[in-house]
């Protein structure tokens, strides 16, 4: 009997926003290599806070990297969203990833941070392209953050995604508590908390006495719900928030459909009254009717 071919390993695309040399992406590469074939396309420099920016007016550079031994990797001059676009349409143009993972970010991407996050922009760009995607973040902003407790959880969640899939058009925003004396309590599926940055701009001056501004502030949670990502993280749980790129506010849409008067033929502003002695007649009037 002919020997059956070995099953194909899952193809996993990895990106991030902290740059290809960040410690977090090395952890992600190490974990994903246990699950399948890995390809990395990541920024060549930190891109934190870039949101879903894409490069339009400048060329994109894509260079092979040998930073991860035995892994096909590229560093890109663009944003995290650029990285995923280039990966899908150029690097993997004849192959479809079974999973796209982004991170592991140095710092939380819970609540409204998801809108600013380059880590999540890579995952959401994958979802736009119809690919299952997860963005991983560790709630520790230090460059030398301790990732030693995250690997089993990242592997478990990635295996779940490969086995059961992720709903179409959805990217998972996964935040992991900072390493502490207490073990991780578990994983919770959550909604995004109503929390935001209370921002200030500190006025400073350079050595030439020219003014500039430095963004500062604190993160404030206004949401007391126990089903939010902020609540889960505060109680040492890993939070998973399914995110979509369709930003339609459906409740607001329904409300406006019943309260706004959007007539099909809106009345325009009244025409200005003619000025006495004007040399030009108003529309529809003859010159004799003036003065």
């Amino acid at each position: 009997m002919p020997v059956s071919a070995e099953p194909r390993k899952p193809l996993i695309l990895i990106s991030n926003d902290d740059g290809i040399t960040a410690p977090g992406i090395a952890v992600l590469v190490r974990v994903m290599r246990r699950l399948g074939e890995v390809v990395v396309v990541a920024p060549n420099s930190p891109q934190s806070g870039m949101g879903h920016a894409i490069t339009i007016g400048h060329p994109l550079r894509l260079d092979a990297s040998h930073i991860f031994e035995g892994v096909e990797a590229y560093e890109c001059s663009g944003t995290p969203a650029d990285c995923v676009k280039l990966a899908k349409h150029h690097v993997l143009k004849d192959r479809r990833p079974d999973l796209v993972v982004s991170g592991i970010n140095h710092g939380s991407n819970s609540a409204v941070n998801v809108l600013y996050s380059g880590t999540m922009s890579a995952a959401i760009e994958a979802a736009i392209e119809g690919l299952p995607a997860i963005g991983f973040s560790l709630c520790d902003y230090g460059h030398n953050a301790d990732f030693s407790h995250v690997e089993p959880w990242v592997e478990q969640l990635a295996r779940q995604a490969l086995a059961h899939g992720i709903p179409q058009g959805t990217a998972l925003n996964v935040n992991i508590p900072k390493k502490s004396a207490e073990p991780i309590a578990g994983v919770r599926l959550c909604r995004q908390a109503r929390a935001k940055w209370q921002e200030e701009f500190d006025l400073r001056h350079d050595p030439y006495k020219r003014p500039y501004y430095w963004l500062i502030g604190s993160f404030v949670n206004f949401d007391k719900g126990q089903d939010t990502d902020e609540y889960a993280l505060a109680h040492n749980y890993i939070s998973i928030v399914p995110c979509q790129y369709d930003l339609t506010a459906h409740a607001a849409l329904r409300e406006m459909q019943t309260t706004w008067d959007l007539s099909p033929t809106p009345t325009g502003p009244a025409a200005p009254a003619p000025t006495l002695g004007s040399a030009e007649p108003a529309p529809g009037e003859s010159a004799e009717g003036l003065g």
Side-chain angles (χ1 to χ4, degrees):
M1 296 177 63
V3 178
S4 60
E6 292 186 7
R8 181 182 68 85
K9 290 183 178 181
L11 176 60
I12 303 173
L13 172 64
I14 297 178
S15 192
N16 76 344
D17 74 345
D18 289 317
I20 198 166
T21 61
I25 197 171
V27 175
L28 204 52
V29 169
R30 184 164 60 246
V31 173
M32 294 303 129
R33 291 187 74 176
R34 299 199 284 264
L35 307 184
E37 178 187 355
V38 168
V39 175
V40 177
V41 181
N44 61 10
S45 62
Q47 299 287 322
S48 295
M50 290 298 291
H52 212 96
I54 57 173
T55 302
I56 296 175
H58 302 281
L60 286 170
R61 310 290 182 185
L62 189 67
D63 299 307
S65 171
H66 304 288
I67 189 171
F68 308 113
E69 185 177 355
V71 172
E72 182 181 358
Y74 303 87
E75 54 184 83
C76 172
S77 63
T79 67
D82 289 328
C83 291
V84 174
K85 287 179 179 290
L86 274 173
K88 181 178 185 296
H89 296 287
H90 178 69
V91 177
L92 301 172
K93 61 183 178 181
D94 298 322
R95 308 172 67 193
R96 181 180 177 85
D98 297 287
L99 181 64
V100 179
V101 289
S102 180
I104 300 171
N105 189 64
H106 295 242
S108 172
N109 277 317
S110 61
V112 75
N113 291 310
V114 68
L115 295 176
Y116 307 118
S117 167
T119 299
M120 280 306 297
S121 79
I124 291 172
E125 181 61 36
I128 292 172
E129 296 286 357
L131 303 172
I134 309 174
F136 289 99
S137 301
L138 175 67
C139 298
D140 186 335
Y141 290 91
H143 181 76
N144 295 317
D146 188 345
F147 289 88
S148 61
H149 63 304
V150 308
E151 290 195 24
W153 298 100
V154 169
E155 180 173 345
Q156 179 191 33
L157 295 177
R159 287 188 184 278
Q160 289 282 313
L162 288 168
H164 304 293
I166 294 173
Q168 187 73 17
T170 303
L172 303 184
N173 183 16
V174 176
N175 282 274
I176 304 171
K178 182 178 180 178
K179 179 74 176 289
S180 69
E182 297 297 323
I184 296 292
V187 183
R188 286 191 172 183
L189 280 166
C190 308
R191 65 176 174 85
Q192 178 180 315
R194 186 173 60 86
K196 67 183 289 291
W197 288 95
Q198 297 281 45
E199 294 157 335
E200 299 176 29
F201 287 89
D202 188 26
L203 174 61
R204 304 179 183 182
H205 293 83
D206 66 18
Y208 298 97
K209 307 302 181 184
R210 294 175 301 193
Y212 68 94
Y213 296 89
W214 197 271
L215 178 62
I216 59 175
S218 57
F219 194 69
V220 181
N221 183 15
F222 304 100
D223 200 323
K224 304 306 179 185
Q226 297 184 11
D227 58 343
T228 70
D229 50 4
E230 285 294 316
Y231 183 91
L233 293 167
H235 291 79
N236 213 35
Y237 284 88
I238 294 171
S239 66
I240 304 178
V241 177
C243 299
Q244 61 184 22
Y245 53 85
D246 176 4
L247 299 181
T248 306
H250 291 281
L253 177 62
R254 290 190 295 271
E255 178 181 339
M256 292 177 67
Q257 286 170 336
T258 59
T259 58
W260 281 47
D261 180 14
L262 300 177
S263 303
T265 54
T267 303
T275 304
L276 293 179
S278 172
E280 295 292 333
E285 294 187 13
S286 65
E288 290 80 1
L290 297 177

